[in-house]
């Protein structure tokens, strides 16, 4: 498996690091502080969208947009409390190191940047395996638009046909599908299998450890 000129692009939150529910609580509290009662279930389904889009998705286009910045700042501050203890998902670092060893170019595609991205990378603890990071700051439109995945492919220097994209949300699968890459879904972000398949997942795994164990079966050959 693996040869020069192949890229494995990874979403980070909920895919490599077990942060989705931390994001849900932080967003829920940020909305609550701004006077909005948003069910956690709804927040969970929206996680993975860029923060501006997440607020619009949950509060609607007719909301008071003057609150957006405060809500996003609230989420950022609340979520920042967890930076020193973000838990990697099982097999995350091992999977990236194995792919790197097998000749894959590993790129992270995430809406996180700055201190948050640093905290996520520390949690994964596989910096030597990561060739590049495609941040939401680098593109005009975040997932489910294809730009973040396309940007990751540019950084990796490979065409879509030579790449796979691994993610945990409906937004990931839609972005990867629109970018023309093979999409692998993981269930560790808490999104149901059927939702991921409907959004374009070509295969589904429990978590990074499950994906790692499947590599020997020639999964990505």
């Amino acid at each position: 498996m693996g040869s020069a000129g192949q890229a494995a692009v990874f979403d980070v939150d909920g895919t490599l690091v077990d942060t989705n529910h931390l994001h849900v609580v932080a967003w829920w509290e940020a909305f609550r502080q701004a006077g909005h009662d948003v069910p956690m279930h709804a927040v969970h389904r929206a996680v993975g969208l860029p923060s501006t889009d997440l607020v619009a998705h949950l509060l609607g286009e007719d909301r008071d947009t003057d609150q957006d910045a405060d809500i996003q700042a609230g989420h950022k501050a609340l979520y920042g409390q967890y930076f020193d203890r973000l838990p990697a998902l099982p097999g995350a670092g091992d999977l990236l190191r194995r792919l790197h060893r097998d000749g894959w170019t590993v790129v992270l595609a995430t809406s996180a940047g700055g201190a948050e991205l640093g905290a996520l990378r520390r949690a994964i603890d596989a910096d030597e395996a990561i060739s590049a990071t495609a941040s939401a700051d680098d593109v005009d439109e975040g997932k489910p638009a294809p730009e973040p995945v396309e940007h990751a492919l540019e950084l990796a220097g490979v065409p879509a046909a030579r790449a796979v994209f691994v993610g945990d949300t409906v937004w990931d699968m839609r972005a990867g599908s629109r970018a023309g890459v093979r999409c692998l879904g993981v269930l560790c972000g808490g999104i149901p299998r059927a939702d991921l398949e409907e959004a374009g997942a070509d295969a589904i795994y429990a978590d990074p450890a499950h994906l790692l164990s499947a590599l020997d079966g020639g999964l990505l050959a």
Side-chain angles (χ1 to χ4, degrees):
M1 176 207 111
S3 66
Q6 285 180 297
V9 181
F10 284 88
D11 169 65
V12 181
D13 283 294
T15 300
L16 296 171
V17 188
D18 195 6
T19 53
N20 281 8
H21 292 86
L22 300 177
H23 276 297
V24 169
V25 171
W27 278 118
W28 172 80
E29 178 64 20
F31 281 122
R32 195 191 66 80
Q33 288 175 1
H36 299 284
D37 182 17
V38 182
M40 291 200 204
H41 174 72
V43 178
H44 182 215
R45 293 302 181 106
V47 165
L49 288 170
S51 53
T52 308
D53 298 342
L54 181 143
V55 173
H57 182 75
L58 290 168
L59 296 185
E61 295 304 331
D62 56 350
R63 70 193 182 285
D64 173 10
T65 52
D66 290 346
Q67 286 191 319
D68 285 16
D70 282 347
I71 294 171
Q72 291 176 55
H75 163 264
K76 192 171 183 176
L78 290 157
Y79 181 69
Q81 301 174 90
Y82 300 115
F83 280 1
D84 61 350
R85 56 192 186 281
L86 298 179
L89 282 152
D94 290 340
L95 173 60
L96 300 195
R97 281 187 289 270
R98 165 71 186 275
L99 288 168
H100 177 67
R101 202 165 61 238
D102 285 353
W104 290 72
T105 300
V106 175
V107 181
L108 305 182
T110 174
S111 54
E116 182 182 351
L117 179 58
L120 291 165
R121 288 184 71 133
R122 284 195 298 279
I124 299 165
D125 193 25
D127 271 354
E128 70 280 8
I130 299 167
S131 297
T133 301
S135 164
D137 301 336
D138 307 327
V139 295
D140 293 330
E141 267 197 283
K143 303 166 195 168
E147 279 94 327
V149 180
E150 291 167 348
H151 179 53
L153 296 178
E154 283 168 25
L155 293 174
V158 303
R162 306 279 297 160
V164 295
F165 178 50
V166 184
D168 68 299
T169 67
V170 164
W171 321 114
D172 289 328
M173 298 303 104
R174 288 184 187 160
S177 297
R178 290 172 186 171
V181 300
R182 185 162 176 233
C183 296
L184 307 182
V186 286
L187 299 173
C188 42
I191 300 301
R193 174 185 296 267
D195 292 16
L196 296 177
E197 287 174 344
E198 190 182 329
D202 295 299
I204 308 268
Y205 299 87
D207 56 18
H210 183 205
L211 185 48
L212 176 60
S213 71
L215 292 182
D216 295 321
L219 158 85
L220 300 181

